[in-house]
Amino acid sequence: MTLDDPLIEEAYRVLAERPGFLIRRLHQIHVAMFMEECAEFNITPVQYSVLTALVDRPDLDQVTLGAQIGIDRTTTAGVLARLAERGLIQRRASPVDKRMKLAAITAEGRKLLRRMDKKAQRAHDRTIAPLLKEDRAVFLRYLLHLVDASNGYGRAPLHLP
């Protein structure tokens, strides 16, 4: 089979009509752009989201933090461990429930976010840059609507504060 084969063309057409396929592909593209823009910081998009969530909400427990960015407990624990290793967050036992760990961003974590801010924003901008300027806000509004409407189906539903 070659790329000009009608069967291959039909397969691509079918995939191009599947929202899930296109959303997954756009996510892959965005992650690649984020990693390209932010390579010097050695931070993943999920780690960036965790640090961002902790800026205005210190001392969040793992479950609440995961819910605020839509990741499950196990993923949250791994991300927090890696960020703590780098000194970007600190963890401590809750004074109310010793089994519960609280996370807070450190001064070093805040400093890193400030250094990353423009480059991370450039990745976000690049992701939607092919859209007309007036369509970008509409696209984001539709994405938010889709996420909100079907949030309960996610393995880790998102609960924005």
Side-chain angles (χ1 to χ4, degrees):
M1 287 187 159
T2 63
L3 288 177
D4 58 354
D5 186 315
L7 291 175
I8 292 176
E9 286 181 29
E10 175 64 13
Y12 284 122
R13 187 193 60 73
V14 168
L15 290 175
E17 293 173 356
R18 294 179 180 165
F21 174 81
L22 294 172
I23 291 165
R24 183 186 61 79
R25 183 65 187 137
L26 184 59
H27 178 258
Q28 291 172 328
I29 291 165
H30 172 71
V31 169
M33 289 177 177
F34 181 93
M35 298 308 285
E36 182 179 285
E37 293 288 346
C38 299
E40 69 188 271
F41 306 110
N42 194 28
I43 291 286
T44 68
V46 172
Q47 291 170 336
Y48 183 74
S49 294
V50 165
L51 290 172
T52 301
L54 289 173
V55 166
D56 294 322
R57 294 173 295 279
D59 291 334
L60 280 180
D61 67 273
Q62 182 174 305
V63 174
T64 303
L65 177 61
Q68 287 190 357
I69 60 172
I71 59 174
D72 63 62
R73 185 182 305 191
T74 303
T75 302
T76 305
V79 170
L80 290 173
R82 286 185 287 284
L83 292 173
E85 264 178 36
R86 292 184 57 187
L88 301 173
I89 65 152
Q90 60 185 67
R91 300 175 79 190
R92 65 181 180 82
S94 166
V96 177
D97 182 348
K98 299 294 182 200
R99 297 168 299 171
M100 186 184 303
K101 288 273 202 172
L102 303 178
I105 191 167
T106 62
E108 190 63 32
R110 287 178 188 277
K111 182 178 165 185
L112 178 70
L113 278 181
R114 281 191 300 276
R115 288 180 37 228
M116 288 184 73
D117 189 43
K118 286 183 179 157
K119 291 187 177 199
Q121 186 58 53
R122 192 165 39 237
H124 296 302
D125 293 343
R126 284 176 60 196
T127 300
I128 60 173
L131 296 175
L132 295 173
K133 199 167 196 158
E134 58 271 16
D135 292 339
R136 294 173 192 168
V138 173
F139 176 72
L140 291 172
R141 208 168 40 250
Y142 282 148
L143 281 177
L144 185 58
H145 177 73
L146 289 170
V147 168
D148 189 49
S150 301
N151 191 33
Y153 289 99
R155 193 173 81 189
L158 178 67
H159 299 288
L160 292 173

